[in-house]
């Protein structure tokens, strides 16, 4: 399995056809076809099927494609790491973070990071665990910071808990039920929740089941924290999420948390990385800043 073959496989997936991929790689179509045949012979399986509509990947091809992306990203990071070690500029770090991280520890970490590495290029992506996991597996992220547990992650990923974070029920500041203390009464109302796997809302629903309480009868499913906040601010929809996010003076202005008890247990926030894959010195620095900042940012 050669680097050129791996690169060609990924380019075919990105371009959608052998002709377009060959043009992007500046090689002939016949040379690219030959490279794919050699790769298929090497792995002992058909990887792509060709038709007048273009190419489609077989199950084996899709499995190899996922690994191929990680291989290329790892090689690229290796070059970047060597450049950093030998004094070259242009360090690049890409991380995925959940909204509660952006509203708490991230601004201070950014100031420390850019002070120590002013020439570094930092790319931030926002998302929950379901978005961070595939980006990590395919090598698009150095690491992620998310709410998770080790047993809900694929085997190739490892979770390093940083701290526990509480969640809360919230709505607009003048919500008619802001002082409600009865769960069944609240659960009869309309809610806006992020039902993505690994979200705080999913943990709430699981907890309600364990307590023998009914789930909310009416749920607006929303994957965007910004949209969720706006709907909570401007309607009577009730939301649920990390308390530090829903109680933040800037991010959650116009939103108030409800003092209903009992509350579901806290969730673990931590760093998610690809198991056994080293990260660059710049990414190591950023990771260490997260570890040092966690206890301070999320202390009571």
């Amino acid at each position: 399995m050669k680097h050129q073959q791996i690169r060609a496989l990924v380019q075919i997936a990105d371009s959608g056809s052998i002709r377009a991929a060959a043009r992007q790689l500046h090689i002939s179509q016949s040379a690219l076809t030959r490279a794919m045949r050699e790769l298929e012979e090497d792995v002992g399986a058909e990887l792509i099927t060709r038709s007048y509509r273009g190419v489609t990947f077989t199950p084996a091809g899709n499995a190899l494609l996922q690994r191929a992306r990680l291989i290329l990203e790892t090689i690229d990071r290796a070059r970047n790491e060597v450049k950093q070690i030998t004094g070259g500029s242009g360090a690049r770090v890409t991380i995925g973070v959940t909204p509660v991280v952006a509203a708490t520890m991230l601004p201070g970490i950014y100031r420390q990071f850019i002070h120590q590495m002013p020439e570094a290029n930092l790319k931030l992506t926002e998302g929950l665990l379901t978005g961070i996991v595939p980006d990590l597996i395919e090598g698009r992220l150095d690491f992620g910071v998310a709410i998770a547990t080790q047993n809900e992650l694929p085997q190739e990923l490892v979770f390093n808990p940083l701290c526990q974070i509480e969640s809360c029920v919230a709505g607009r500041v003048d919500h008619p039920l802001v002082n409600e203390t009865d769960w069944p009464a609240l659960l009869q109302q309309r809610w806006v929740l992020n039902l993505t796997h690994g979200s705080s809302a999913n943990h709430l629903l699981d907890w309600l089941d364990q307590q023998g309480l009914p789930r909310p009868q009416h749920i607006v499913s929303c994957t965007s924290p910004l949209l969720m906040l706006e709907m909570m601010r401007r309607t009577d929809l009730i939301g649920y999420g990390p308390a530090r996010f829903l109680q933040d003076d800037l991010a959650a202005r116009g939103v108030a948390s409800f003092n209903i008890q009992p509350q579901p247990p806290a969730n673990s926030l931590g760093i998610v990385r690809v198991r056994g894959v080293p990260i660059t010195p710049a990414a190591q620095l950023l990771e260490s800043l997260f570890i040092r900042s966690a206890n301070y940012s999320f202390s009571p």
Side-chain angles (χ1 to χ4, degrees):
M1 193 179 300
K2 300 176 181 177
H3 176 262
Q4 294 90 338
Q5 295 169 340
I6 294 296
R7 184 175 172 223
L9 185 74
V10 172
Q11 188 61 61
I12 290 172
D14 292 342
S15 300
S17 72
I18 290 179
R19 176 181 296 179
R23 187 164 53 247
Q24 289 294 321
L25 294 170
H26 305 291
I27 61 176
S28 68
Q29 191 171 335
S30 61
L32 180 54
T33 299
R34 185 169 58 253
M36 286 300 96
R37 286 176 181 162
E38 290 173 353
L39 181 58
E40 288 176 330
E41 291 175 2
D42 185 19
V43 299
E46 184 182 25
L47 301 175
I48 58 177
T49 56
R50 305 157 182 81
S51 70
Y52 69 94
R53 293 182 177 178
V55 298
T56 56
F57 281 73
T58 65
N62 279 318
L64 182 58
L65 176 63
Q66 188 178 74
R67 300 295 183 183
R69 292 189 186 280
L70 178 58
I71 289 169
L72 292 183
E73 288 291 342
T74 302
I75 291 173
D76 191 46
R77 287 200 178 94
R79 291 195 183 102
N80 184 250
E81 183 171 1
V82 171
K83 184 184 294 184
Q84 293 175 44
I85 292 172
T86 56
S89 61
R92 290 181 288 108
V93 183
T94 304
I95 63 170
V97 298
T98 59
V100 67
V101 173
T104 52
M105 61 172 74
L106 185 58
I109 288 174
Y110 167 75
R111 286 189 288 269
Q112 295 176 64
F113 177 75
I114 212 67
H115 175 73
Q116 296 186 51
M117 300 196 74
E119 301 300 320
N121 296 311
L122 179 60
K123 182 177 179 180
L124 305 172
T125 63
E126 180 189 62
L128 296 176
L129 196 60
T130 48
I132 289 174
V133 165
D135 282 349
L136 278 170
I137 291 176
E138 295 194 359
R140 290 188 288 268
L141 297 177
D142 289 285
F143 63 86
V145 185
I147 294 172
T149 60
Q150 183 62 59
N151 60 15
E152 66 185 319
L153 293 174
Q155 186 176 3
E156 55 262 56
L157 299 183
V158 61
F159 179 65
N160 176 26
L162 295 177
C163 55
Q164 296 291 300
I165 58 171
E166 304 284 345
S167 294
C168 69
V169 177
R172 61 185 175 90
V173 291
D174 53 352
H175 195 287
L177 297 179
V178 69
N179 295 316
E180 181 60 63
T181 59
D182 182 51
W183 271 107
L186 281 184
L187 295 173
Q188 293 176 13
Q189 306 304 308
R190 295 183 179 273
W191 290 61
V192 56
L193 297 173
N194 187 335
L195 299 178
T196 306
H197 177 69
S199 67
S200 298
N202 264 326
H203 291 147
L204 168 66
L205 297 181
D206 290 341
W207 179 81
L208 291 173
D209 293 341
Q210 295 166 9
Q211 300 299 309
L213 292 168
R215 295 188 174 198
Q217 297 179 1
H218 306 284
I219 297 177
V220 176
S221 180
C222 179
T223 59
S224 165
L226 176 60
L227 285 177
M228 187 176 75
L229 278 173
E230 289 303 324
M231 294 302 290
M232 291 165 62
R233 272 192 277 256
R234 301 171 190 273
T235 74
D236 282 340
L237 286 170
I238 297 170
Y240 184 81
R244 289 295 299 270
F245 179 61
L246 293 179
Q247 295 171 357
D248 184 78
D249 291 339
L250 294 178
R253 180 170 295 180
V255 172
S257 57
F258 294 12
N259 294 319
I260 188 167
Q261 296 295 331
Q263 288 279 352
N267 300 310
S268 292
L269 180 81
I271 293 174
V272 187
R273 280 179 51 180
V274 178
R275 189 185 302 274
V277 176
I279 57 177
T280 66
Q284 290 175 17
L285 170 62
L286 189 59
E287 183 183 59
S288 69
L289 292 174
F290 271 103
I291 293 171
R292 290 206 301 265
S293 174
N295 290 334
Y296 172 77
S297 296
F298 288 90
S299 57

